[in-house]
Amino acid sequence: MVPSSAADRETAHALTVETLRAAGLGANDRVVVALNNDGEPVGSPIAKAAVDVGKAGASVGARGRMRLHSALEGVGATALITTPTGAMDFLARLHLEFLLDPLDLELRHIFLVGEIPSPNACAQLASEFEASVRELYADPYLGVPIAYRAPSDAALTPTRDGLLGLAPPGKDAVLDAPYPEGLAELVVTPAWHSTLGGTTLRTGQAVRLAGGEQGIPAPEHTIGEHVQIRGRWVSLPKVAAALTRIDGLSHWELRIRREGTLDAAALHVTFNRDTLIKNPMWKSRIAQALYALTPVSIDVVVEPEAREDRRPPTVTDERGHHLGRDRAELS
């Protein structure tokens, strides 16, 4: 939770307007925003800013591809703002379920925010919709877009100087360009914010530098105690704390994958006695504990064999995004 004054909210709005305009949104564009508003009111502020840039805007939420299609047609949208996986899933549904041609929507712009895109996703979206595609980088603390890039750009373009930087994962020091080779973590410096101004905040998002870069690349990985699933941050310490209250667990593993267009997560749990393996109440307790923590859907999978020895929890990211929880080991 971040306290924000009325002046902070006005500045955040102005910064979002600047970023959208700099990324290519025009005065004649009509915008539909398909982003979450559940717990993190990201979609509505971006839609409000889009109205100040273009002619019209609507926030329809992240769920419901048919509803999104209806909104795009109803608004006469020329621009869509959504997550990379949301855009790819919408494209797949247009082809496979709705049997519609993406070109019929006549979108001119697609802005992607909130996730690490799959390889070639931007190129495919640009080709299928015949639209310009831009990535927006949003401050993960405040949800405010502060930088952008085209798929052909090697680095992000910050909307204002001093908003974005890089730091070594295991050392509290901001790196200076040209940047050295190795793993680096993106940091945000929201000097415009009345409470956070003057602080440097780690984002948990990381890049691998080849050495000599002058600009800041878009994040390709995550590190630390949070993992990103469907554009939402899931706290591993909070998951661990919730599961310690459930008797009988000897180990759990969070597995994340992106086999199709969307992220999928499953919590594989191992009990310490056989009587709990086929007990639906225990599995339900774990599912409810997860539901209380995050709106992200996480399946619960019970391992078929009990183990008495307790082991530390693990995270397996088959997407290749999350590199590890301990920054010191990654530096």
Side-chain angles (χ1 to χ4, degrees):
M1 302 296 293
V2 178
S4 294
S5 66
D8 290 332
R9 295 192 295 273
E10 289 177 4
T11 306
H13 176 77
L15 188 53
T16 305
V17 167
E18 288 179 42
T19 304
L20 292 177
R21 186 175 285 128
L25 192 67
N28 292 320
D29 283 314
R30 306 172 70 86
V31 187
V32 168
V33 180
L35 294 171
N36 278 306
N37 287 293
D38 186 353
E40 302 170 5
V42 175
S44 295
I46 291 179
K48 182 181 178 183
V51 172
D52 282 1
V53 177
K55 296 181 79 172
S59 178
V60 299
R63 296 181 176 88
R65 305 303 179 212
M66 182 65 80
R67 183 176 62 206
L68 173 58
H69 182 267
S70 298
L72 290 169
E73 287 194 323
V75 173
T78 60
L80 169 64
I81 303 177
T82 187
T83 61
T85 60
M88 291 298 291
D89 189 64
F90 180 56
L91 176 62
R93 299 287 184 89
L94 287 176
H95 283 308
L96 300 177
E97 294 185 24
F98 307 156
L99 303 180
L100 298 172
D101 189 338
L103 295 178
D104 291 342
L105 290 171
E106 298 182 345
L107 291 175
R108 293 199 295 259
H109 306 287
I110 298 175
F111 299 97
L112 307 177
V113 62
E115 287 179 322
I116 299 171
S118 298
N120 301 319
C122 294
Q124 184 176 355
L125 290 169
S127 174
E128 295 269 11
F129 286 98
E130 292 187 0
S132 72
V133 176
R134 296 289 185 272
E135 292 181 51
L136 304 177
Y137 178 80
D139 179 324
Y141 289 89
L142 299 161
V144 179
I146 59 174
Y148 60 93
R149 76 162 190 146
S152 59
D153 295 338
L156 293 165
T157 301
T159 308
R160 299 178 185 174
D161 292 336
L163 294 177
L164 197 58
L166 291 174
K171 184 179 179 181
D172 288 336
V174 178
L175 297 171
D176 294 323
Y179 300 112
E181 181 181 358
L183 188 68
E185 183 174 2
L186 274 71
V187 294
V188 291
T189 50
W192 57 271
H193 195 274
S194 61
T195 303
L196 300 178
T199 59
T200 300
L201 305 172
R202 292 186 177 274
T203 64
Q205 299 164 319
V207 294
R208 291 194 184 278
L209 300 171
E213 288 94 340
Q214 294 287 339
I216 299 172
E220 299 174 340
H221 302 285
T222 58
I223 58 177
E225 296 286 12
H226 293 75
V227 294
Q228 205 172 30
I229 307 171
R230 291 200 175 191
R232 307 298 295 263
W233 290 98
V234 176
S235 169
L236 299 175
K238 287 188 176 182
V239 172
L243 295 181
T244 56
R245 304 187 185 101
I246 298 175
D247 176 55
L249 275 177
S250 61
H251 176 68
W252 60 265
E253 177 189 14
L254 181 62
R255 299 181 188 175
I256 312 161
R257 67 184 191 280
R258 188 183 290 175
E259 293 180 349
T261 54
L262 296 174
D263 292 340
L267 188 77
H268 289 248
V269 297
T270 302
F271 290 116
N272 60 14
R273 52 188 185 272
D274 293 332
T275 54
L276 298 179
I277 292 177
K278 294 184 179 180
N279 189 326
M281 185 180 72
W282 246 249
K283 181 178 179 180
S284 177
R285 286 182 64 189
I286 296 171
Q288 290 300 312
L290 297 174
Y291 187 73
L293 294 175
T294 174
V296 175
S297 177
I298 301 177
D299 295 331
V300 177
V301 179
V302 178
E303 297 296 335
E305 295 184 4
R307 292 190 57 166
E308 293 186 6
D309 57 308
R310 297 185 63 86
R311 293 174 292 151
T314 54
V315 176
T316 302
D317 191 341
E318 297 177 6
R319 304 168 302 178
H321 293 178
H322 197 68
L323 300 180
R325 299 175 63 175
D326 191 337
R327 286 179 169 87
E329 291 183 355
L330 296 169
S331 59

